[in-house]
Every structure is written in C-alpha cells, then in structure tokens.
Amino acid sequence: MFVSDCLNVNQQGHLTIGGCDTLELAAAFGTPLYVMDEATIVNNCRKYVDSIKTYYNGNGRVYYASKAFCCKEICRIMENEQMGLDVVSAGEIYTAMSTGFPAERLCFHGNNKTSAEINYALDCGVGRFMVDNLTELALLNRLALERNKKAVVLLRIKPGIDAHTHNFIRTGQIDSKFGLALETGEAEEAIKEAITMAGINLTGIHCHIGSQIFDLAPFELAAEVMVNFMADMRDRHGAKFTELNLGGGFGIKYVPEQDPVPYDRYMEAVSETVKKTCLARDMDTPFIMLEPGRSIVASAGITLYTVGAVKEIPGIRTYVSIDGGMGDNPRYALYQAEYAAVVADRAAEKPTATVTIAGKCCESGDLIQEHTAIQPAEAGNILAVFATGAYNYSMASNYNRIPRPAAVMIRDQEPRVIIKRETFDDLVHNDV
Ligand code: LLP
C-alpha cells in the first residue's frame, strides 16, 4: 500500500512504522521527527551481503555509503551486520571511530581530501583509500612514507558511462569533478605512477556511475569496462589488481509508481559480467566491493511533521504548511525530488486533496512537494513524508536558526532516540 513494507495502518486509521503508531511517536518525541525502522535497514544490508555469498562465492564486501545517513547508531548497526563503511570526510571517519568501528573496514573517498584528513585516516588505520586524482596520489604517498606506512589504494576511474539519461549512454562523461578519465589516458598515467610509489599499495580500481539508477545494464557495462581496463593495465604495465569497487547508486521507491530492481539482482547480474570478462581476459576474479547508501536507509525512514497553516489560493493551489521543511529535507528544493506523503491521522482514507507541502523557512522555494495527493489536512494533523531515511538528516541545515529534528530508531516496536533534538543552546554553542 505504501512505498515501504515497514509502513501500515492500524485500527484507528493511523499510520504505523515498525508497528508503532506515528501519532504516538509524534506526541512522545515531538515534531519534526525522523523515524527509522531498524529491521528494514538490517534486511537491506543482508540482501546485499547474501547476494555476494550467493552469486560471487562471498568474495567481496558491502560498504554502506555513510553520507546517506551518518550517526553513531548507524555505524553500530553496520558493525553488527559485518558491513564496511564508505566515508568521505574526517568527520565521518571520526563518527565511525567513536563507536569502535574497525578502521580496516573503512574506505575513504573524496575528490579533495586535505592533508589533515589523510593524516588522520593514516593514523586511524583506515583500510582503503579511494584516490581521486594525481595530486592526492602524490600527497598520500608522501604522508604515508612520513609515517613509514603503505596506504592501500584503489584509483577512482570515470568509466565513461552516464546512467542518468533514460537510455544510458556510453560516452565522454569526462566533465566530472570525480575521478580519473579513461579516455584521456589520465587513469593510465595514475596507474603507472602508483605502481612505482613506495608509500602506495595499489590493489584495484573504483567507479561510481551515479545515483537512483533503476537499470541493471549500466552497472553491467561499467563492470565490463573496468575489468577490461584492469586486464589492459596488467598487460601494458604489469599492474596486479585484486580488488574492484563498483560503487553504489541503486534506485529506491520514493513514490508508488517506481519499481526498483530487487537488490540481490545487481550482484547476480554484475557477477556474471565480471566472471565472463575475467575468463575472456585470463584474469582471476577480483574481490568485489559495493557501496550502497540510499538503498540501505532511504525506505527505512519517514519524517513526521505537524501541520500548521493551510492556505487555499482559489484557482491556484493549496499550501499545507508544516513545522519543518528545507532545513531537514532540502531535496525538493535542490533536485525537485519526488516524495509521497500522507496525513498520518487519516492514513486509511483516500488522498482526495491536491496540495503543495510548504516548509516554514523564509524562502519561497522551501517546499517538500508540489501538487501532491494527500488526505485533506488541517492544523494539528501529523503529516508523514516517506522514504526520507537517506540524504535528509545528513544534508540538514540550521537555516533560519531552526534546530535539527531528533531521530528515533524502532526495533521490535520499541522506539529509541538515536539523535537528540537540537536545542537553542546548541544553535549558539559556537557563537562567540
Ligand atoms: N559511492 C560513491 C563514490 C558515491 O559518490 C556515492 C554517492 C555512493 C557510493 C552512494 O550512492 P547511493 O547508493 O546512495 O546512491 N545528495 C544526493 C545523492 C548524492 C550521492 C553522492 N554519492 C541525493 O540526495 O539524492
């Protein structure tokens, strides 16, 4: 009925998540409130982990891309599930380390890692560096040598696949701030340099072809391009690669019309391509790394808001204003992202109203969704926006000095606070 299996309607006609009444959650913890269902997160992790066991002999690891939603409790859940973590800043590394997450299972991304971040990562013992460019390669080599260490490195490659068009295209795509281009010879140059560097242990290559992708074909093509490139670099330069990181980007259901591929199908399809291409090129199959972010956490989360002003502009539209907005979810303002919502008090009723959901910021573009169908809403109702588990809290801001909401995780129908609501004191904490 809804976009995620953890959502339902109880006898009172209220929306539930993980078996908890959302009106009770709103009353107990206040709004706006991020609510996450732990079982959904755990099941998603297991689908990916099991798919590597089933289709690839277990010869791989799933790294949750923590940029999607990063906090201590998520790191603990990932550790329980034996996942790795894809981290993109010293702040994400720090969060993981503060929970005792094994540094060996971190892979460190970023197109402009600072010296301070690289030093911190080296000192922590971060397992893999995903090196983005030649400047970083030289810097990492120098900083590793200063510490008598050898950094384990995969080079981020642009495989030249644009998966965002409806019929994805295999063209240039060299105009990206991320990675080393194949076409220009830049990637080959980096490999030639990396294999001579004493502070670098080059084990493989990485690519990430985009986000919210529904087709399998671009992933298969990327895998084929990458394996062939590994074989070419072995033949031309004697590079010995054992690892292939294929990134994340697997699509999720934001609105009922969307129909994402079951997550284990990615590994099924990609492993076929990798095995076939390796056989053709007389190569051992590499250790595979995947980096799903959105598809692990998005559908586990909802955001609960309290409805305030409802403004009907005859012949134009009806604005339903909520007590949050672009501060806790900037994705519509940034990307016109699609979301489905319900009035949680009347979740069983038909959505007969067409409204624009507006936030409370001083900004006309502060909207969560335009012209969307929900149940008729009035002040005091609880509005639930679905699939907000990814790139909401992690992209939240304090615009207009609005405190960030709390986040609650539900396990076995028991909610617990995993991120406290920000206070006004938090807002002025760093002011001098
Ligand atoms: N690996 C790399 C190298 C990435 O750059 C990303 C996402 C991921 C993995 C995870 O991708 P996912 O599985 O979550 O699609 N803020 C945007 C999304 C930005 C994604 C950036 N990179 C949004 O709200 O849609």
Side-chain angles (χ1 to χ4, degrees):
M1 174 176 182
F2 300 117
V3 293
S4 174
D5 291 344
C6 61
L7 303 170
N8 217 327
V9 181
N10 63 16
Q11 282 178 341
Q12 293 82 48
H14 300 169
L15 177 75
T16 62
I17 174 166
C20 294
D21 187 314
T22 53
L23 267 58
E24 287 173 17
L25 291 170
F29 299 102
T31 60
L33 183 70
Y34 298 112
V35 188
M36 313 275 297
D37 178 56
E38 187 166 344
T40 303
I41 297 173
V42 166
N43 285 341
N44 289 337
C45 292
R46 291 183 187 170
K47 274 183 207 153
Y48 282 115
V49 171
D50 290 347
S51 73
I52 293 189
K53 288 185 189 140
T54 308
Y55 299 110
Y56 204 68
N57 251 337
N59 188 27
R61 168 157 283 141
V62 189
Y63 290 76
Y64 163 65
S66 65
K67 72 205 80 179
F69 178 59
C70 183
C71 67
K72 287 186 177 185
E73 191 65 357
I74 282 287
C75 295
R76 293 185 196 109
I77 292 172
M78 295 304 147
E79 162 62 350
N80 268 342
E81 295 304 311
Q82 291 295 299
M83 301 272 287
L85 283 183
D86 153 352
V87 289
V88 287
S89 68
E92 288 187 352
I93 298 174
Y94 183 86
T95 307
M97 297 307 290
S98 68
T99 67
F101 196 92
E104 168 55 31
R105 268 194 270 132
L106 300 180
C107 69
F108 187 19
H109 274 279
N111 64 304
N112 193 24
K113 302 175 187 79
T114 64
S115 301
E117 284 181 312
I118 293 175
N119 279 331
Y120 178 56
L122 286 166
D123 290 342
C124 289
V126 161
R128 297 283 178 284
F129 288 79
M130 304 292 140
V131 170
D132 178 272
N133 56 69
L134 291 163
T135 312
E136 182 191 337
L137 186 64
L139 178 64
L140 177 58
N141 182 45
R142 181 165 63 76
L143 297 177
L145 287 175
E146 276 173 20
R147 284 167 164 64
N148 270 327
K149 289 191 171 178
K150 222 173 161 87
V152 181
V153 167
L154 283 80
L155 290 174
R156 178 161 183 172
I157 310 284
K158 301 180 218 194
I161 293 161
D162 182 354
H164 282 123
T165 51
H166 187 63
N167 288 315
F168 71 93
I169 41 174
R170 166 89 180 88
T171 57
Q173 257 283 309
I174 55 175
D175 182 13
S176 162
K177 72 167 182 170
F178 297 109
L180 299 147
L182 278 184
E183 289 94 327
T184 59
E186 187 189 25
E188 181 163 3
E189 201 48 47
I191 286 167
K192 272 163 58 187
E193 282 189 29
I195 55 181
T196 66
M197 289 174 160
I200 301 288
N201 173 13
L202 181 66
T203 60
I205 52 176
H206 165 277
C207 70
H208 171 76
I209 57 171
S211 211
Q212 187 60 359
I213 300 168
F214 287 100
D215 292 341
L216 289 175
F219 291 106
E220 292 170 321
L221 180 56
E224 188 187 326
V225 169
M226 296 292 276
V227 172
N228 274 317
F229 184 62
M230 289 165 100
D232 291 345
M233 293 303 101
R234 172 203 59 190
D235 296 346
R236 295 219 280 273
H237 307 294
K240 293 188 192 71
F241 293 123
T242 53
E243 298 183 326
L244 174 60
N245 185 332
L246 293 168
F250 316 118
I252 74 115
K253 193 198 271 280
Y254 279 105
V255 290
E257 304 79 74
Q258 285 168 327
D259 192 17
V261 177
Y263 302 147
D264 57 346
R265 292 276 293 108
Y266 289 100
M267 201 52 216
E268 185 184 14
V270 158
S271 63
E272 271 315 299
T273 308
V274 170
K275 286 180 198 160
K276 206 172 59 196
T277 317
C278 283
L279 193 66
R281 298 299 302 264
D282 193 19
M283 237 179 75
D284 289 341
T285 48
F287 183 84
I288 295 272
M289 299 152 84
L290 296 181
E291 298 171 338
R294 188 192 314 270
S295 55
I296 301 275
V297 287
S299 60
I302 61 172
T303 309
L304 300 178
Y305 301 99
T306 302
V307 173
V310 178
K311 190 173 289 179
E312 197 182 327
I313 309 176
I316 311 259
R317 63 166 109 191
T318 299
Y319 285 99
V320 171
S321 293
I322 51 169
D323 56 352
M326 65 189 291
D328 60 79
N329 182 0
R331 295 191 70 256
Y332 186 77
L334 278 174
Y335 322 117
Q336 286 76 55
E338 291 180 285
Y339 281 106
V342 301
V343 175
D345 318 55
R346 291 197 284 280
E349 293 172 26
K350 285 211 154 43
T352 52
T354 299
V355 306
T356 289
I357 302 168
K360 62 188 267 83
C361 288
C362 279
E363 179 120 0
S364 311
D366 172 24
L367 306 173
I368 296 291
Q369 202 64 199
E370 291 181 272
H371 312 299
T372 189
I374 60 169
Q375 297 74 13
E378 55 191 57
N381 286 158
I382 299 299
L383 185 94
V385 177
F386 298 148
T388 57
Y391 303 113
N392 272 229
Y393 173 75
S394 65
M395 294 176 74
S397 77
N398 288 127
Y399 184 45
N400 289 176
R401 286 246 146 162
I402 296 169
R404 288 182 182 79
V408 162
M409 182 75 74
I410 297 172
R411 181 199 294 153
D412 298 333
Q413 301 188 27
E414 284 295 327
R416 66 186 189 279
V417 173
I418 59 164
I419 302 171
K420 289 189 252 178
R421 185 176 301 282
E422 278 180 345
T423 63
F424 295 137
D425 273 345
D426 293 330
L427 294 177
V428 296
H429 183 73
N430 292 322
D431 294 5
V432 288

